[in-house]
């Protein structure tokens, strides 16, 4: 194999995942693509290290930044040598890590503003707390599934406009949320907040994430304790975890924060990631949300999450919330793309609002790599199957 | 030892926990008390079964109702014989199970009504959805701690009445929520709801639970996605898990539900548990919430939690929400006992509202056992230490 990086999986990327071959044991691998094809480097076969014989990345993630750095160096040498490489198309891919707690934020100003305008047209779109703290909530860790898992349309209570009582049935407003997820490697003790500056000590990398949402179920249930069954039926993540080390060239300044956040949120030191996202509906790109337009930075999300003394565990997953940019074709949910279902958008030559049975959604992510070209982060795919 | 049941831990109770002796390995044990003292039966020493050499109950919980039944029979014989029993005061107790997902409901009509009146005095106390579904949300599984763990007062953003911007600092309205938690043993697959009638196939038992709450942090952050840092700093559970088999005599009818719930919630078949709760503040009983007055039943909570196809995992914990009865001295939170801090209550000879540093809160639970006397469920204790 050459050292070149075809398809965004060159030596400056090297994302981690869990794979098996022909029904064998799950192993940790690193993806590499070059002119000769796409490969998974079998890290256990190559190194014999026990953390790579695990069925999830968690044991490796817990080892911390110095081990992550050394392993990345070694993985690069292995990829370049072509040793212990399995052809990607012979590998079955699995969920890359065991999710401890899953937190989802609401960190895009454009998304929060759009949702406010759609759902509460007669009020200020942003609630008073929004510019002071990254609003977030806990989601269901047990239903985080890997890319490719079919998504069964959920049933539940929903109340239509003008109806007094709810009815029960399959969601009629099934939606996506195009997000980025951050994967915690190193735990922290209860009672001790992780400061803004501790991001790199704890966060291993990122995954693509689709926070499937049943808007009608959510709208009826969410007051006063927030989203529950409208979100908890499934959240899809990519097979590949891109380490933060592969994103060093992608850091960028975010839009200004006004008012200045409280000191624990690190005002004046807000760095985001310039990651391009594409939302494909049945193979057609319907939106291109830009992660560089997020309001709250990844390090601010982590600092907020732990400022009350909440501990971190290996495998904690915290996601950005829907990524939406200021333009119409940069919206990361169908709720926004169809403006609450009232303004259908065109895809596949016809008008669309929410997801139909059989629809396939794919989220793609790319960023500037340290090698000067673009790297392709793990994609997230899922097809809707009818309610059971 | 005799077969008698002093202190509510007789042969008709036999709760499960995790213990160690003199710094040794954690083991699964069953608590038993008789005229000669309090004991922990070492199930691994007695049976050699590998699931009892685990540091958590999870492996045993996953084995299902038939194994639970056989083990309970065997534990009863062991307790009666006095073999393999360790004196309770020589055992160190630990968190009894690894929490998978933690869901907290809001199932007491009196609590929800009180909170509505306190926080939204000019509106209907109950939101329109409340009588149609058990409102709930996901909490942080990683900060569920065993009884006796000190609780550090959390810091965070809070905005006082009349203030425009929030300030940062230790919570000034630290509270308890006296709850009952249900522990899931048998998992269920994603996409397949667990019906109302499946409660006994999946739920192993109950724990006492205190959902510590920082009301000022919660009030500022909770819209629109629900409680987050106001709850995620700590949730305490009892050391002992009382199996549902020990509560067979405690089932009772709940108050009528109006309007009749949708079919998946099992209308007309609503059975609750007649469990008495006591809230002690610095050793003095300040409230006696009755679990028999809950609106939504345990089986309804489970049916709702999974009706969207969400899977269950071994170790899932779902809690009732604050237990409050209709009387003033039956309220399960200090928010209610002090009516939002505006009407202090008297404890220890002085006026009290929210928790002060150094306060100790103990929750006690008891119910009718199958032997005709009362059983004492696991208590939950915690002392407040100052913000770090």
């Amino acid at each position: 194999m050459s050292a070149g990086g075809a398809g965004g999986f060159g030596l400056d990327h090297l994302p981690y995942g869990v794979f098996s071959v022909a029904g064998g044991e799950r192993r940790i691998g690193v993806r590499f693509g070059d002119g000769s094809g796409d490969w998974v480097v079998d890290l256990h076969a190559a190194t014999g290290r026990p953390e790579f014989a695990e069925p999830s990345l968690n044991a490796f993630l817990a080892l911390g930044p110095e081990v992550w750095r050394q392993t990345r160096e070694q993985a690069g040498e292995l990829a370049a040598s072509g040793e212990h490489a399995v052809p990607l198309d012979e590998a079955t891919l699995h969920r890359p890590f065991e999710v401890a707690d899953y937190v989802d934020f609401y960190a895009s100003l454009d998304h929060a503003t759009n949702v406010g305008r759609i759902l509460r047209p007669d009020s200020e779109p942003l609630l008073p707390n929004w510019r002071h703290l990254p609003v977030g909530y806990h989601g269901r860790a047990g239903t985080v599934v890997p890319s490719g898992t079919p998504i069964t349309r959920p049933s539940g209570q929903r109340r239509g406009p003008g109806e007094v009582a709810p009815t029960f049935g399959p969601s009629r407003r099934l939606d996506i949320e195009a997000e980025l997820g951050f994967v915690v490697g190193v735990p922290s003790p209860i009672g001790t907040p992780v400061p803004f500056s501790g991001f790199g000590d704890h966060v291993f990398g990122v995954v693509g994430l689709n926070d499937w949402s049943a808007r009608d179920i959510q709208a009826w249930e969410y007051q006063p304790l927030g989203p529950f069954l409208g979100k908890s039926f499934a959240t899809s993540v990519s097979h590949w975890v891109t380490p933060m080390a592969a994103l060093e060239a992608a850091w960028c300044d975010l839009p200004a924060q006004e008012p200045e956040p409280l000191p624990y949120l690190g005002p004046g030191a807000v760095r985001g990631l310039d990651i391009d996202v594409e939302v494909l509906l049945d193979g057609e790109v319907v939106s291109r949300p830009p992660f560089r337009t997020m309001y709250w930075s990844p390090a601010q999300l982590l600092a907020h999450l732990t400022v009350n003394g909440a501990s971190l565990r290996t495998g904690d997953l915290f996601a950005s919330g829907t990524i939406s940019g200021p333009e119409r074709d940069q919206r990361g949910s169908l709720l926004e793309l169809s403006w609450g279902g009232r303004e259908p958008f065109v895809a596949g030559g016809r008008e669309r609002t929410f997801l139909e049975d059989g629809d396939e959604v794919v989220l793609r992510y790319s960023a500037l790599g340290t090698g000067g070209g673009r790297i392709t982060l793990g994609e997230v795919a899922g097809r809707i199957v009818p309610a059971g």
Side-chain angles (χ1 to χ4, degrees), chain A residues 19-296:
Chain A
F19 75 103
S20 58
V21 177
E25 295 285 306
R26 297 184 187 195
R27 294 282 184 258
I28 308 302
V30 161
R31 180 167 172 180
F32 177 63
D34 63 8
S36 68
D38 288 304
W39 308 87
V40 183
V41 177
D42 182 334
L43 287 181
H44 184 249
T47 69
R49 280 159 54 183
E51 63 268 28
F52 297 133
E54 295 280 326
S56 83
L57 281 167
N58 294 48
F60 169 60
L61 299 181
L63 296 175
E66 183 52 27
V67 173
W68 304 341
R69 192 192 61 70
Q70 291 167 4
T71 304
R72 182 167 168 78
E73 202 173 287
Q74 197 174 7
E77 290 163 8
L78 286 164
S81 77
E83 291 172 40
H84 304 288
V86 177
L88 178 65
D89 57 13
E90 292 178 15
T92 301
L93 301 174
H94 306 279
R95 188 178 59 189
F97 61 103
E98 285 290 316
V99 182
D101 271 300
Y102 165 44
V103 165
D104 200 16
F105 284 98
Y106 192 52
S108 159
L109 177 64
D110 292 299
H111 171 67
T113 304
N114 286 339
V115 170
R117 287 191 178 133
I118 293 165
L119 300 184
R120 299 179 299 271
D122 301 321
S123 323
E124 276 294 310
L126 288 185
L127 292 171
N129 58 14
W130 200 91
R131 286 176 178 271
H132 292 279
L133 53 78
V135 170
Y137 71 102
H138 284 87
R140 190 163 185 82
T143 51
V144 175
V145 297
S147 177
T149 304
I151 304 300
T152 302
R153 181 181 297 272
S155 291
Q157 294 193 25
R158 59 277 195 286
R159 192 178 69 162
E163 292 175 3
V164 174
T167 56
F168 182 86
S171 172
R172 302 175 185 124
R173 291 164 72 92
L174 187 56
D175 199 358
I176 62 160
E177 296 200 332
E179 307 195 11
L180 196 68
F182 294 86
V183 183
V184 171
V186 176
S188 69
I190 195 167
T192 305
V194 174
F196 180 83
S197 57
F199 182 85
D201 300 328
H202 292 274
V203 175
F204 172 75
V206 305
V207 286
L209 188 146
N210 186 346
D211 180 38
W212 305 95
S213 299
R215 300 298 180 191
D216 42 0
I217 295 172
Q218 184 184 350
W220 171 236
E221 75 178 355
Y222 87 105
Q223 286 190 324
L225 301 185
F228 182 38
L229 301 188
K231 303 274 197 175
S232 66
F233 58 96
T235 303
S236 298
V237 293
S238 59
H239 289 124
W240 299 104
V241 183
T242 294
M244 295 313 303
L247 290 167
E248 277 176 13
W251 289 103
C252 65
D253 287 326
L254 291 181
Q257 296 182 336
E258 174 60 38
E260 177 160 295
L262 284 161
Y264 79 91
L265 290 170
V270 178
R271 298 280 284 166
L273 289 164
D274 187 1
I275 296 174
D276 287 345
V277 187
E278 286 183 332
V279 179
L280 288 85
L281 178 57
D282 294 331
E284 179 177 333
V285 175
V286 295
S287 179
R288 291 190 167 85
F291 196 68
R292 67 180 169 279
T293 65
M294 299 299 280
Y295 188 86
W296 295 106

